[in-house]
Amino acid sequence: MSDPTKPNDNSPQNRHESQVSGEGGRNGITRRGFLKGAGLTAAGTALLEPVRAFSNEAAASTNPAVTELGPGPVPIRLHINGKEHAVDIEPRTTLADALRIHLGMTGTKIICDRGACSGCTVWLDKVPVNSCMMLAIDAIGHDVTTIEGVAAEGEPHPLQAAFVKHDATQCGFCTPGMVMSCAALLEKNPHP
């Protein structure tokens, strides 16, 4: 029988002391201690990542080659349908919104606002693009052609006339996008 006045060798306090001092057959770190240390290291690294990203962002802002725009409206010039247009827009404004809201060119329709329907199609340097998926500031320095500019000298484009003649307009809401896409195809391949 054990003596109650004598401390028990298996008590939690004695086990802890033996683990810390390396006694009892254990040398070095315990599995639990290792996992705690690894967890703290991973958490510390994750917490420092935003700080590192912020310092990289701050370094980029001091670069003279970087132009920062916004968050408020900024003046830009767009070349649309052969004419220069000056407009003050927020950098987050899509080309479709700039055309419709800021410049009053309502031929370009915003239908899905996700680039799936192509109702907002315009040409950017003769290449069809979904204007709802493109920022207006990305169109700076490019030639933009809308449905209003595809007609020559006030006469409808032959494709527009064919749409009307063959009643291909349906309800007419997405027709400008279809005309722009088809006209781009015919520009590239006149006999598809």
Side-chain angles (χ1 to χ4, degrees), residues 8 17 28 48 53 55 81 93 96 105 115 132 134 150 154 158 182 186 189:
N8 184 358
E17 287 174 6
L48 289 177
S55 66
N81 299 332
T93 304
M105 297 181 185
C132 72
M134 180 178 186
V150 80
C182 292
L186 293 176
N189 182 4

Side-chain angles (χ1 to χ4, degrees), residues 27-31 33-34:
N27 293 325
I29 193 163
T30 64
R31 189 178 320 172
F34 172 77

Side-chain angles (χ1 to χ4, degrees), residues 19 39 46 53 59 83 119 132 134 145 169 173 180:
Q19 286 177 356
K83 296 178 184 171
C132 72
M134 180 178 186
T145 306
T169 58
F173 199 69
M180 294 301 290

Side-chain angles (χ1 to χ4, degrees), residues 90-175:
E90 292 181 5
R92 65 186 176 119
T93 304
T94 63
L95 181 57
D97 284 336
L99 292 170
R100 290 184 59 79
I101 297 168
H102 298 281
L103 295 172
M105 297 181 185
T106 57
T108 301
K109 307 296 187 213
I110 301 172
I111 302 171
C112 71
D113 212 14
R114 293 188 179 114
C117 69
S118 296
C120 64
T121 301
V122 298
W123 292 349
L124 189 71
D125 298 329
K126 297 284 186 180
V127 176
V129 296
N130 291 333
S131 61
C132 72
M133 299 300 294
M134 180 178 186
L135 295 176
I137 59 173
D138 290 334
I140 295 172
H142 297 279
D143 291 325
V144 179
T145 306
T146 67
I147 190 72
E148 292 92 347
V150 80
E153 300 172 14
E155 292 296 314
H157 187 276
L159 195 57
Q160 288 173 309
F163 264 67
V164 171
K165 180 180 177 186
H166 297 286
D167 200 24
T169 58
Q170 299 173 28
C171 78
F173 199 69
C174 64
T175 303

Side-chain angles (χ1 to χ4, degrees), residues 53-67:
F54 178 74
S55 66
N56 291 343
E57 201 173 286
S61 67
T62 60
N63 186 348
V66 175
T67 303

